[in-house]
Amino acid sequence: MRKIIALSAIAIALATAACNTVAGIGRDVQAAGRAVTNSSDSARR
């Protein structure tokens, strides 16, 4: 029973870390997209 609880806790910790990592990558990609959009808007003017 202790092994199941320990494995469950580890799985939850890994899942939480993965969610934070994916969210961080999403924010980075979004910021890069904004930078490209702003650059192209500046080039058009």
Side-chain angles (χ1 to χ4, degrees):
M1 186 67 173
R2 286 185 182 181
K3 287 184 181 182
I4 293 172
I5 293 172
L7 290 175
S8 296
I10 291 170
I12 290 170
L14 290 174
T16 302
C19 288
N20 288 334
T21 302
V22 171
I25 291 171
R27 284 191 294 268
D28 291 343
V29 170
Q30 191 175 28
R34 272 192 234 116
V36 170
T37 301
N38 290 341
S39 296
S40 67
D41 287 344
S42 295
R44 278 197 238 166
R45 294 181 189 163

